[in-house]
Amino acid sequence: MQDINLTHHFLIAMPTMADSIFSRTLTYICEHNEQGAIGIVINRPTDLTLVNLFKQLGIPQTIDSPVETVPVLFGGPVQLDCGFVLHHPIGKWQSTLVVNQEIGLTTSLDILKAIANEDGPDQALIALGYAGWAAGQIEHELAQNAWLTVPASPDVIFDLSSEERLPAAMRLLGVNYANLSNEIGHA
């Protein structure tokens, strides 16, 4: 299990996390290596909207699209005061982690300014905070049956609403979330 790489995979929280901050979450893993993993929870909207985030940051906007209703996501419990933009295409921003040929994770303000002026990436999710795992931690949690994994789909990330993402990721596995059990089977 030590040699797995979950970069560009979804982590689906198992029902055993019912009382956890990750209960019923779908997390997109942006980087996974020997030092640990970084992910963004992509199905947990906050009360903060994109237009209010722009106002809080003092970013003038020329956007005409309905950003008043676009929610900022809870990306995870680490660095809740920092913004993370998951986007396609990658582009050339000041601080971007390239996930793969299609998706980047940017933390610099230049991308938010570009989004506010309709010069940003074609598709983007904005989150506050991220999920992080130390070296070997995610592998340990997988061995404890805390997560299901499935290769990620950009369509699930960018083309569906927050509420539709977890069921869609489950369909990639051919499983219905309601059918998952808290029990671990042994043969």
Side-chain angles (χ1 to χ4, degrees), residues 150-181:
V150 64
S153 163
D155 295 338
V156 171
I157 299 168
F158 297 114
D159 296 341
L160 300 176
S161 70
S162 298
E163 300 77 33
E164 296 173 302
R165 291 180 186 135
L166 178 59
M170 294 298 295
R171 284 191 297 276
L172 293 174
L173 281 174
V175 176
N176 182 331
Y177 196 84
N179 294 339
L180 293 181
S181 170

Side-chain angles (χ1 to χ4, degrees), residues 93-138:
W93 310 104
Q94 290 175 4
S95 181
T96 300
L97 168 68
V98 175
V99 177
N100 61 24
Q101 295 176 356
E102 298 179 9
I103 298 175
L105 179 67
T106 297
T107 57
S108 51
L109 202 55
D110 60 335
I111 194 168
L112 288 176
K113 290 177 180 177
I115 290 169
N117 292 303
E118 298 188 89
D119 291 328
D122 296 337
Q123 298 173 303
L125 296 181
I126 293 89
L128 293 177
Y130 72 92
W133 292 265
Q137 183 180 2
I138 205 165

Side-chain angles (χ1 to χ4, degrees), residues 3-187:
D3 293 342
I4 64 170
N5 182 345
L6 295 174
T7 300
H8 189 62
H9 279 69
F10 290 134
L11 285 187
I12 300 165
M14 290 292 287
T16 52
M17 289 195 190
D19 295 329
S20 163
I21 197 165
F22 291 104
S23 176
R24 298 189 59 81
T25 59
L26 178 64
T27 304
Y28 175 71
I29 300 300
C30 302
E31 182 176 58
H32 181 216
N33 56 35
E34 61 280 348
Q35 278 109 33
I38 295 171
I40 300 291
V41 175
I42 62 168
N43 70 325
R44 179 93 30 101
T46 67
D47 292 334
L48 182 64
T49 61
L50 189 52
V51 72
N52 288 332
L53 178 64
F54 291 154
K55 286 177 186 174
Q56 286 181 14
L57 295 173
I59 298 173
Q61 62 183 71
T62 59
I63 245 177
D64 290 328
S65 62
V67 294
E68 302 240 358
T69 60
V70 173
V72 173
L73 301 173
F74 166 77
V78 183
Q79 290 189 336
L80 286 168
D81 58 340
C82 291
F84 297 84
V85 181
L86 194 60
H87 57 89
H88 165 82
I90 297 168
K92 295 188 184 300
W93 310 104
Q94 290 175 4
S95 181
T96 300
L97 168 68
V98 175
V99 177
N100 61 24
Q101 295 176 356
E102 298 179 9
I103 298 175
L105 179 67
T106 297
T107 57
S108 51
L109 202 55
D110 60 335
I111 194 168
L112 288 176
K113 290 177 180 177
I115 290 169
N117 292 303
E118 298 188 89
D119 291 328
D122 296 337
Q123 298 173 303
L125 296 181
I126 293 89
L128 293 177
Y130 72 92
W133 292 265
Q137 183 180 2
I138 205 165
E139 293 83 356
H140 175 74
E141 291 177 9
L142 286 168
Q144 298 300 311
N145 199 36
W147 304 99
L148 289 175
T149 65
V150 64
S153 163
D155 295 338
V156 171
I157 299 168
F158 297 114
D159 296 341
L160 300 176
S161 70
S162 298
E163 300 77 33
E164 296 173 302
R165 291 180 186 135
L166 178 59
M170 294 298 295
R171 284 191 297 276
L172 293 174
L173 281 174
V175 176
N176 182 331
Y177 196 84
N179 294 339
L180 293 181
S181 170
N182 289 339
E183 304 299 318
I184 301 172
H186 298 282

